[in-house]
Amino acid sequence: MESYKQLKPLEEYDISPKTGFLPSTPPLRRLNNPYFEPWEEMMDDFNGLLLAGKLREKVHKMPMLDYKQLKTIEEYRRAFLILCMLSHSYVWGKHEPTSETLPANLAIPWTGIADHLGLCPVVCHAAVVLWNYRLLDSDGPIDLNNLATLATYSGSLDEAWFYLVTTAIESSGAPCLSQIVDIIHDIHNGSPAPTIQAKLTVIERSLAQMNDNLKRMYEKCDPYVFYWKIRPYLAGWENMAEAGLPLGLIYEGVIEHHESWSTDEYADMSHEAERLLNQYRRYAGGSAAQSSLIAALDVAFGVEHHRTGEKPPSFVLNVSDRYSRLPTTHPLDDLRKNDADKTTDLPSPVTPYKRTNKNTFLRAMRKYMPRQHRAFLEDLEESANIRPYILQLEENGRNGNLASDERELVEAYNACLHQLKLFRDKHVQIVTLYIVNQARKGPNIPHGGFAIEKKTADNATEKRPHNALYPQTQLETAPAIRKDSKTDKVSQMFPQLGLARTLAADATVVRGTGGTNVMPFLKQSRDETNDMKVVLEQQQDEMTTQKQQSSSWSSWFSRR
């Protein structure tokens, strides 16, 4: 038998056989160390401060806390959630212009905590889904009848439901992980087909339960409320020129050392400019693609995802998909790229995974997963043997050597893929209703309940370069770099960064909070899942016969 990488016990990847990627015990509801009381006091009044427009003022008065006083992984997760809530609310505000700077008392501890957890300092799936729930009955199950959130940006039931549906999906899918590991071992050890089929059946049932939970999104999360009141806070600051953040966000006080500039062009760059540019960070916002559960299912079943617009055997690159070329996290790297061979892309900072991640966006999303979960996916990439085993059975079938129980095993594999495909079908429908349709309709009130610039005598007749709504939710926007801002200063120092570029007025791209051109990406992911089904020769003959019969009836009716 060919050698393979043996997976470690799930617990060593911080995965529970019972709760999956969710913590084995519910997340902390509060940091008990009195040292961190300033953070918890902010959360006590969080929604009220944001509504009253006093959150930024309160943040400025908040002390700088040493995150290293946190002791346990549970405390780090709680602190990360707190700083996600405070930081995104500070940046996007409510009835306030976007802030291009995150103050040091948020930026420094948030970055340190993120490094400890192996994450990026930005809101992500782990923060609002995995570490943001409590059980109403501590002895009850993790399901929608027993869940409440710990924090929301809007204070609305709609936002709580949005997170909790996803938490319930993670809980429903938890049994898949131990079954996947067992199946990999069974195949390696030559276990009989019925043993493997029984475990695939468990996975299929879990996937069906995931689908049932996803369908409940409509019950208590209103599409209008989600799009206009919740979604803006989940956006990151990557490719956010439309929101006045063309370089990303300044993480005040967070400096990473870069090599000295090697060309005379930058030799005279002032220390102030270098220091300022070095503080910018660009990160994508929260995205369902950051779910380690869905990624693990793709890897286990051998679902290959290609770059949006690319599909073998003919490769036609969709150049409008910005994730064909990953943006760099640090704007300084853009200058380096311009200084180097301009025809060569910078290498991706993300590990090129072995099997399923030919899609650049999905590769990028792994760095927004907790470190140990990411390690599990990397090891699973090397261990996964389910699809090769099924393909070998398909080959045996062509040679007439397929037993009836092996045929049933292939059908069980296809049934799992079908449930995963149905999940992605439902996701496409939800995105259409909650994002695409809302974007096309526009808000019910002129400013959507967000920041609006007051007219003055000087600008009363001046046309704004972008919508008065939060720009990240718009279809037709253009960059808005405020005069005399830090970004304006950097754009003058470094015109080669191209910050003056504009978005076409007739742009119709609807982006997800993760930043991708959302509909082509989702539809292709769904189709790629369905394409992985293995059709045995007998089934192929039956499908061909059915197609011919359908064609024959159509011809008969057309002649009538």
Side-chain angles (χ1 to χ4, degrees):
M1 176 69 67
E2 183 183 348
S3 62
Y4 80 116
K5 181 180 180 68
Q6 184 165 348
L7 291 165
K8 295 179 288 188
L10 288 177
E11 292 83 355
E12 293 190 30
Y13 298 107
D14 193 28
I15 299 171
S16 164
K18 181 179 179 181
T19 61
F21 291 107
L22 294 169
S24 56
T25 57
L28 285 182
R29 297 171 67 170
R30 196 173 187 91
L31 294 171
N32 293 322
N33 187 341
Y35 178 78
F36 293 104
E37 194 60 21
W39 287 355
E40 291 292 357
E41 288 177 353
M42 286 290 294
M43 293 306 296
D44 290 340
D45 296 327
F46 173 68
N47 295 119
L49 290 169
L50 185 58
L51 183 63
K54 293 185 176 180
L55 186 134
R56 289 179 181 172
E57 176 186 340
K58 189 84 169 179
V59 165
H60 294 156
K61 297 176 182 178
M62 198 172 67
M64 171 73 76
L65 298 183
D66 179 9
Y67 71 90
K68 293 181 181 178
Q69 297 293 322
L70 299 165
K71 301 301 181 185
T72 66
I73 189 68
E74 291 81 9
E75 290 178 345
Y76 271 92
R77 290 168 180 163
R78 170 66 182 169
F80 187 79
L81 172 62
I82 289 173
L83 294 176
C84 282
M85 304 306 292
L86 296 179
S87 299
H88 278 252
S89 297
Y90 184 96
V91 171
W92 298 123
K94 187 168 182 69
H95 299 290
E96 300 165 291
T98 301
S99 173
E100 63 178 350
T101 301
L102 188 67
N105 58 356
L106 292 177
I108 292 175
W110 196 20
T111 301
I113 291 166
D115 288 344
H116 183 85
L117 295 170
L119 292 166
C120 299
V122 70
V123 73
C124 61
H125 176 88
V128 295
V129 172
L130 303 183
W131 307 334
N132 187 28
Y133 72 91
R134 61 185 177 89
L135 297 178
L136 299 175
D137 175 2
S138 59
D139 297 323
I142 305 176
D143 65 32
L144 285 169
N145 296 321
N146 193 39
L147 286 173
T149 52
L150 298 176
T152 63
Y153 292 102
S154 64
S156 67
L157 296 177
D158 301 76
E159 184 177 356
W161 189 253
F162 175 71
Y163 299 148
L164 294 176
V165 165
T166 317
T167 302
I169 288 170
E170 292 280 347
S171 177
S172 298
C176 296
L177 301 172
S178 58
Q179 300 301 310
I180 285 169
V181 173
D182 287 349
I183 291 172
I184 290 172
H185 292 162
D186 287 342
I187 292 173
H188 179 71
N189 295 327
S191 297
T195 300
I196 299 172
Q197 181 191 343
K199 292 169 183 174
L200 285 173
T201 301
V202 173
I203 295 175
E204 181 194 1
R205 290 171 183 164
S206 294
L207 282 163
Q209 184 61 49
M210 289 168 59
N211 282 323
D212 290 341
N213 283 322
L214 185 58
K215 292 172 186 175
R216 296 189 64 185
M217 183 66 73
Y218 307 107
E219 291 181 16
K220 299 173 186 177
C221 182
D222 181 84
Y224 182 89
V225 173
F226 170 78
Y227 187 79
W228 296 103
K229 309 297 184 182
I230 300 168
R231 188 171 181 263
Y233 294 108
L234 298 176
W237 17 91
E238 181 180 271
N239 280 306
M240 280 294 166
E242 301 95 323
L245 301 176
L247 286 172
L249 182 70
I250 296 173
Y251 282 63
E252 196 173 70
V254 179
I255 301 290
E256 291 186 8
H257 297 290
H258 281 66
E259 300 171 7
S260 299
W261 299 104
S262 59
T263 63
D264 293 337
E265 181 180 356
Y266 305 116
D268 296 328
M269 182 172 66
S270 69
H271 292 298
E272 178 191 2
E274 182 176 359
R275 180 192 62 79
L276 183 60
L277 189 58
N278 204 15
Q279 292 182 83
Y280 281 94
R281 298 289 181 273
R282 291 184 292 212
Y283 298 115
S287 169
Q290 295 161 2
S291 169
S292 302
L293 173 62
I294 302 302
L297 290 165
D298 277 340
V299 173
F301 287 101
V303 180
E304 291 190 359
H305 295 294
H306 300 268
R307 291 194 293 183
T308 305
E310 279 191 1
K311 195 171 181 180
S314 61
F315 294 87
V316 180
L317 179 62
N318 180 1
V319 295
S320 66
D321 175 21
R322 67 184 191 83
Y323 271 101
S324 296
R325 296 177 177 84
L326 280 173
T328 60
T329 299
H330 305 284
L332 276 174
D333 291 332
D334 287 343
L335 292 176
R336 287 181 166 184
K337 181 178 175 181
N338 290 338
D339 189 45
D341 183 358
K342 296 185 179 181
T343 64
T344 305
D345 286 339
L346 284 173
S348 170
V350 185
T351 305
Y353 298 102
K354 183 179 176 184
R355 295 172 188 264
T356 62
N357 277 273
K358 296 173 184 177
N359 182 285
T360 318
F361 175 68
L362 291 176
R363 287 208 312 269
M365 289 299 100
R366 286 205 182 174
K367 68 180 179 181
Y368 298 90
M369 300 174 185
R371 179 184 292 109
Q372 289 167 288
H373 296 174
R374 187 165 59 245
F376 172 72
L377 294 177
E378 293 173 17
D379 288 350
L380 186 61
E381 293 276 5
E382 297 186 51
S383 302
N385 57 8
I386 299 175
R387 183 164 180 79
Y389 175 71
I390 296 296
L391 292 178
Q392 181 59 56
L393 294 182
E394 179 191 30
E395 179 66 23
N396 293 346
R398 281 198 291 266
N399 297 331
N401 297 324
L402 192 65
S404 59
D405 56 358
E406 291 175 329
R407 182 177 298 277
E408 291 173 0
L409 174 56
V410 174
E411 292 172 357
Y413 170 82
N414 285 338
C416 291
L417 284 174
H418 185 65
Q419 288 295 334
L420 188 56
K421 183 259 184 186
L422 291 178
F423 185 87
R424 288 189 156 119
D425 271 337
K426 181 55 64 178
H427 192 202
V428 168
Q429 294 169 19
I430 288 174
V431 168
T432 301
L433 178 62
Y434 281 73
I435 297 178
V436 177
N437 290 354
Q438 295 303 314
R440 289 172 178 166
K441 283 193 242 179
N444 291 340
I445 54 178
H447 55 85
F450 293 106
I452 184 168
E453 183 156 323
K454 297 178 181 178
K455 290 185 178 181
T456 65
D458 295 332
N459 69 5
T461 59
E462 180 184 354
K463 184 178 180 182
R464 290 285 293 154
H466 61 73
N467 240 295
L469 297 167
Y470 263 51
Q472 67 268 32
T473 66
Q474 296 308 293
L475 296 179
E476 299 178 8
T477 54
I481 301 176
R482 289 189 292 279
K483 184 175 174 57
D484 298 326
S485 66
K486 291 180 180 179
T487 303
D488 182 40
K489 184 177 182 180
V490 170
S491 69
Q492 294 179 39
M493 290 178 176
F494 306 111
Q496 63 271 38
L497 287 172
L499 303 187
R501 64 186 181 277
T502 59
L503 196 67
D506 59 351
T508 57
V509 171
V510 180
R511 296 206 305 258
T513 44
T516 189
N517 183 353
V518 65
M519 292 308 290
F521 166 73
L522 292 178
K523 289 179 179 179
Q524 181 169 314
S525 296
R526 174 200 60 196
D527 294 342
E528 287 166 339
T529 303
N530 197 54
D531 290 345
M532 291 297 106
K533 292 179 182 177
V534 173
V535 181
L536 298 175
E537 192 169 284
Q538 179 180 342
Q539 294 171 321
Q540 185 69 54
D541 293 340
E542 291 173 356
M543 291 171 60
T544 302
T545 301
Q546 291 174 0
K547 187 175 181 180
Q548 290 173 345
Q549 289 175 344
S550 175
S551 176
S552 176
W553 277 104
S554 298
S555 300
W556 183 82
F557 275 112
S558 66
R559 292 194 301 268
R560 295 285 290 176

